[in-house]
Amino acid sequence: TQPEESPNVIPANHTTPDMAQAWLQRAQSQAQLGTPASLALAIETARQVPAQSPLRSQAEILILEWGNQILNAAATAAREDVKSGIEIARQIPPEHPLYGAAQQQIQAWQHGLPSPSPELSPAANP
């Protein structure tokens, strides 16, 4: 007997063009908020567009664009607060083409962090 599939999971080989379009539209709607979290969600949604779909190339372009937006937001945030920048950069999913770049940036920021923090140093309180 065949294992019964979940009703909410549709195998990629059963995806219709309308379903691929629905994934892409949902991803674009999620990305409209423009927050790093919504962009990361949009990336994950766009990755649902099957590789054999004619819309996959459009999805790949958007995935790369949204990843760039997350990295830009991380860099902007890091100018004010490195820890915030790191948290934003960590939202790039491991499967994303920019994941390696995000990890390198995170490492650079981590090595640039002061240790210990001046607020905790006894010398900071005269």
Side-chain angles (χ1 to χ4, degrees), residues 9-81:
V9 177
I10 298 164
N13 60 351
H14 290 94
T15 304
T16 66
D18 287 344
M19 294 166 76
Q21 181 68 38
W23 282 119
L24 197 55
Q25 286 175 340
R26 179 181 293 167
Q28 289 171 313
S29 293
Q30 292 166 333
Q32 284 180 345
L33 285 175
T35 65
S38 69
L39 293 168
L41 183 60
I43 289 168
E44 291 304 314
T45 302
R47 291 189 69 240
Q48 301 301 314
V49 175
Q52 71 273 17
S53 170
L55 296 174
R56 184 60 189 204
S57 62
Q58 183 181 355
E60 292 292 336
I61 290 167
L62 291 170
I63 287 167
L64 192 57
E65 178 183 318
W66 295 329
N68 272 318
Q69 289 177 25
I70 293 171
L71 281 182
N72 288 337
T76 300
R79 286 188 207 114
E80 297 292 321
D81 178 25

